[in-house]
Amino acid sequence: MSTPLLVQKTAKNGLRILCERVPTAPVVALQAWVGVGSADETPREAGLAHVHEHMLFKGTAHRGVGEIAREVEAAGGEINAWTSFDETVYHITMSSRYFKTGLDVLSDAIQHSSFDAEELAREKEVVLEEIRRGDDQPSRRLSQRIFSSSFKKHPYGLPVIGTKKSVSSFGRKHVVDFYKKWYIPNNLTFVVSGDVDPEAAALAVEKIFSKSRAGKIRRPARADEPLSRGPRFFAEVADAGDSYAALAFPAAALLHPDAPALDVLAEILGGGEASRLFERVQAEKGLVSTVYAHAYTPKDPGLFLVGANPFVGKEREALAAVAKELFEIREHGVTDEELSRAKLNLEAESVYLRETVQGRARKWGFSLLLTGDASFEERYLSAIRSLTREDILRVAKEYLRPERIAAGLIQPGTAKGKQKTAEEKKIAGDLEALFRGEGSKSKTAARRPAKEEGRPSLHTLPNGMRVVIEKNTSVPVVALKAVWLGGSRFETAPDAGLYHFLAEMLPRGAAERSATQIRHEAEEIAGSATGVAGRNSTGVDVQCLSRFWERGLSLLADLTLRPNFPEDEIEKTR
């Protein structure tokens, strides 16, 4: 009889076990998923789930302080943990020949942690320093504030890490009581993935936890977050080098039927360099250094998030462009090409996660703990494949509602006191005007007026060159691109990297212009000139203020048709 590749069982004490054989490399991942996160804490316990993440590797009844890490590292392994709203996870990855060592160490930490009082005092200081560092990071402050603005009643609005006040108050008894309440086998999922016999591994896991007794899980009720609240806007003027913007709309929970469609919508809007936000707000308009969209669908209803780093001084333009894309997709939906690409990307993401034993274990642990179904991913991908353009339009209309938005902006500034408060109030007011304005447009108004904007028009010149022109008056900027077939797909082994090198060289000398003159001319028209190369194409990008479009076009033509590849620039580029 052949050995099964996967064994799943529930022990008598309620411990859920899943062991999988992955023989591709002599490696194994062991993960203990504990069904408690910050959203399960009482107000008095805020941050305790995260403190346990720090404390479980700090000594047990059988191992002293520091021995756990030394033992794992001596076997060539890595040990770590993370805490979220819904779970706390402890994981080890190591050579599969040390599987028994890894199991012994991880099970010992889960079952017999000693919570040494001196170690607790030290780790509390570590956590307090994490909180202080987070307070100093604009991106962290913005993230927390967008969650607290979106969740006024539900515990997802509270920081996973806790507060200075709550963490400072923890004593050993608080930690031990929390541990006894949640770290019980019927609240634990243990996953093994790697080059092991799954039946033998499952028996070993069951045996090593067999003396742990099941307990009664008293999970506090989580308050429902009402959807009737109005839009919320906030701003902060801070001593920061960059600007940070975030938008959030109430979204669905993990098991809601709309969750797959929300993931696809996020992928189309801001899931990569082919997404609408990247192409139109970052690449074409040059208003942000980064932009993304993400559907956060945890155990309870989550958020549809959009974030960006607008260039300083272009914050309003950037957010206007983001708002335009959000509400345009809400009114007009997506194309077949966008839908197909998003489905493929999400499926590929799932496939790539399965390349490593750590990724596979994480997939199994997540599915089992949060859904109770190891086959959840298969059902999820099946739902993704069946989605239609009408499904995406429906969820866009349902969830991207301007009356439910939370929006925040942090931008650099030196104002203090009343002046700072006044500036922040004005910025928040501008945000409100911006998103209320976009949201109140009718379907007719949301479309680009045919005479003003129109659809892109295609013109073919006598020499066969195709020219696409699109008018967009939202910002006084023009983007010019010349592109031809040629990229890494066309290279052979001897000339690998040639097209990228060519792209680097194009703006380093053309016609009578030197590299320095090209840079200066680009600055004179408040723009940029760069060569670009990808897998399938190579070309030149020029951007400038629209009033300089003729100079920009002249520069583009020279870089495209008359590059001179100076020897000294070739060596610098090399």
Side-chain angles (χ1 to χ4, degrees):
M1 182 180 293
S2 61
T3 303
L5 293 177
L6 184 74
V7 171
Q8 183 184 347
K9 65 191 302 185
T10 301
K12 291 181 180 179
N13 57 11
L15 173 70
R16 285 180 292 191
I17 303 167
L18 187 147
C19 298
E20 175 192 33
R21 181 169 182 256
V22 184
T24 53
V27 181
V28 66
L30 305 95
Q31 296 186 0
W33 288 66
V34 187
V36 61
S38 63
D40 299 305
E41 299 165 341
T42 65
R44 177 68 183 79
E45 297 170 333
L48 263 179
H50 177 253
V51 166
H52 279 72
E53 174 198 322
H54 282 250
M55 288 300 299
L56 251 69
F57 297 148
K58 295 297 179 180
T60 70
H62 310 104
R63 291 175 168 89
V65 175
E67 286 187 36
I68 287 178
R70 282 197 296 271
E71 196 167 344
V72 172
E73 290 168 7
E78 296 177 348
I79 187 168
N80 216 324
W82 78 80
T83 309
S84 186
F85 291 120
D86 300 316
E87 74 275 351
T88 310
V89 183
Y90 304 87
H91 53 100
I92 294 175
T93 304
M94 62 199 322
S95 170
S96 55
R97 68 178 183 271
Y98 295 115
F99 164 69
K100 290 183 178 178
T101 298
L103 176 59
D104 187 59
V105 168
L106 191 52
S107 64
D108 189 25
I110 295 292
Q111 297 180 96
H112 308 118
S113 279
S114 56
F115 302 110
D116 178 80
E118 292 184 5
E119 282 298 310
L120 174 59
R122 278 191 283 269
E123 287 306 309
K124 280 169 56 177
E125 284 304 313
V126 172
V127 174
L128 289 170
E129 179 58 27
E130 279 188 59
I131 294 173
R132 286 189 286 268
R133 285 203 311 269
D135 290 342
D136 288 338
Q137 296 174 358
S139 58
R140 289 279 293 274
R141 291 201 306 274
L142 180 64
S143 176
Q144 181 53 53
R145 195 162 175 187
I146 208 78
F147 269 78
S148 62
S149 295
S150 300
F151 296 105
K152 294 294 187 181
K153 293 188 175 183
H154 192 282
Y156 286 168
L158 302 173
V160 171
I161 200 171
T163 66
K164 293 176 184 176
K165 182 178 179 181
S166 64
V167 172
S168 298
S169 71
F170 296 152
R172 184 176 184 277
K173 185 177 186 305
H174 300 113
V175 176
V176 172
D177 288 348
F178 190 88
Y179 172 76
K180 289 179 178 178
K181 179 166 61 172
W182 295 109
Y183 283 68
I184 50 179
N186 50 314
N187 195 39
L188 178 66
T189 298
F190 202 97
V191 179
V192 177
S193 181
D195 189 20
V196 294
D197 180 328
E199 288 185 324
L203 285 172
V205 173
E206 185 175 15
K207 181 178 179 181
I208 208 162
F209 281 95
S210 61
K211 294 182 180 179
S212 290
R213 290 187 171 188
K216 189 169 183 178
I217 299 174
R218 296 181 176 87
R219 201 175 299 278
R222 300 178 180 182
D224 292 329
E225 193 67 35
L227 289 177
S228 58
R229 60 183 184 268
R232 285 127 295 137
F233 303 94
F234 63 87
E236 180 184 334
V237 175
D239 182 13
D242 298 308
S243 292
Y244 302 83
L247 319 173
F249 301 85
L254 176 66
L255 293 178
H256 193 283
D258 287 344
L262 285 168
D263 280 335
V264 170
L265 177 62
E267 183 69 22
I268 291 170
L269 263 173
E273 293 188 1
S275 68
R276 288 196 184 186
L277 290 174
F278 181 91
E279 285 193 343
R280 300 180 185 180
V281 181
Q282 182 169 345
E284 292 180 12
K285 297 179 179 175
L287 296 172
V288 299
S289 59
T290 58
V291 65
Y292 68 87
H294 172 60
Y296 177 62
T297 54
K299 185 176 181 180
D300 294 336
L303 294 175
F304 190 94
L305 297 159
V306 178
N309 287 107
F311 288 118
V312 177
K314 295 185 176 181
E315 292 88 356
R316 183 175 175 80
E317 291 177 75
L319 288 170
V322 169
K324 183 175 182 227
E325 296 306 327
L326 286 174
F327 295 114
E328 185 171 301
I329 208 168
R330 185 175 185 267
E331 295 298 339
H332 308 305
V334 301
T335 66
D336 288 327
E337 181 187 354
E338 287 176 320
L339 179 59
S340 177
R341 184 175 61 243
K343 289 181 178 182
L344 183 62
N345 287 346
L346 289 170
E347 184 172 1
E349 184 179 304
S350 174
V351 170
Y352 289 135
L353 187 64
R354 296 199 296 268
E355 283 190 316
T356 66
V357 291
Q358 304 99 299
R360 298 180 74 92
R362 184 165 183 163
K363 176 195 69 170
W364 294 121
F366 176 87
S367 296
L368 272 176
L369 184 71
L370 295 182
T371 75
D373 180 8
S375 63
F376 167 74
E377 185 184 48
E378 294 175 18
R379 292 191 292 109
Y380 166 81
L381 290 175
S382 177
I384 291 283
R385 295 185 194 103
S386 69
L387 290 170
T388 65
R389 289 169 55 193
E390 290 72 26
D391 294 323
I392 308 305
L393 178 60
R394 179 184 60 79
V395 296
K397 286 181 177 292
E398 173 63 27
Y399 292 95
L400 301 184
R401 294 190 181 188
E403 67 270 20
R404 295 179 181 174
I405 193 174
L409 174 64
I410 296 178
Q411 67 181 53
T414 57
K416 304 290 184 185
K418 291 182 179 179
Q419 184 185 354
K420 179 175 183 289
T421 302
E423 284 189 23
E424 290 173 345
K425 187 175 180 180
K426 181 183 182 304
I427 295 167
D430 288 344
L431 280 177
E432 182 171 6
L434 174 66
F435 284 95
R436 281 190 187 276
E438 281 291 346
S440 64
K441 291 178 181 177
S442 67
K443 289 185 181 181
T444 303
R447 296 181 183 273
R448 293 173 178 167
K451 291 184 179 179
E452 282 295 318
E453 307 292 311
R455 294 181 177 276
S457 57
L458 174 63
H459 309 265
T460 301
L461 304 186
N463 62 5
M465 178 178 172
R466 290 170 296 176
V467 180
V468 178
I469 300 174
E470 179 182 16
K471 185 176 183 181
N472 186 325
T473 57
S474 60
V475 288
V477 174
V478 64
L480 303 148
K481 182 190 288 280
V483 64
W484 55 89
L485 285 175
S488 58
R489 185 162 66 90
F490 297 89
E491 295 171 349
T492 60
D495 56 21
L498 178 60
Y499 281 98
H500 180 74
F501 196 93
L502 170 64
E504 288 285 329
M505 283 299 302
L506 289 173
R508 291 176 179 260
E512 292 76 37
R513 296 179 174 98
S514 67
T516 301
Q517 289 170 327
I518 290 171
R519 288 194 296 270
H520 285 189
E521 182 158 355
E523 290 184 7
E524 287 172 7
I525 58 176
S528 62
T530 57
V532 292
R535 178 167 174 76
N536 302 300
S537 61
T538 303
V540 175
D541 279 352
V542 171
Q543 293 194 37
C544 62
L545 294 180
S546 55
R547 64 179 179 269
F548 300 123
W549 74 268
E550 290 174 296
R551 291 179 61 183
L553 180 60
S554 174
L555 182 58
L556 179 82
D558 275 352
L559 298 186
T560 305
L561 301 174
R562 292 178 284 278
N564 51 33
F565 306 114
E567 286 290 344
D568 59 333
E569 293 294 337
I570 288 177
E571 292 311 312
K572 289 177 188 176
T573 302
R574 194 193 309 283

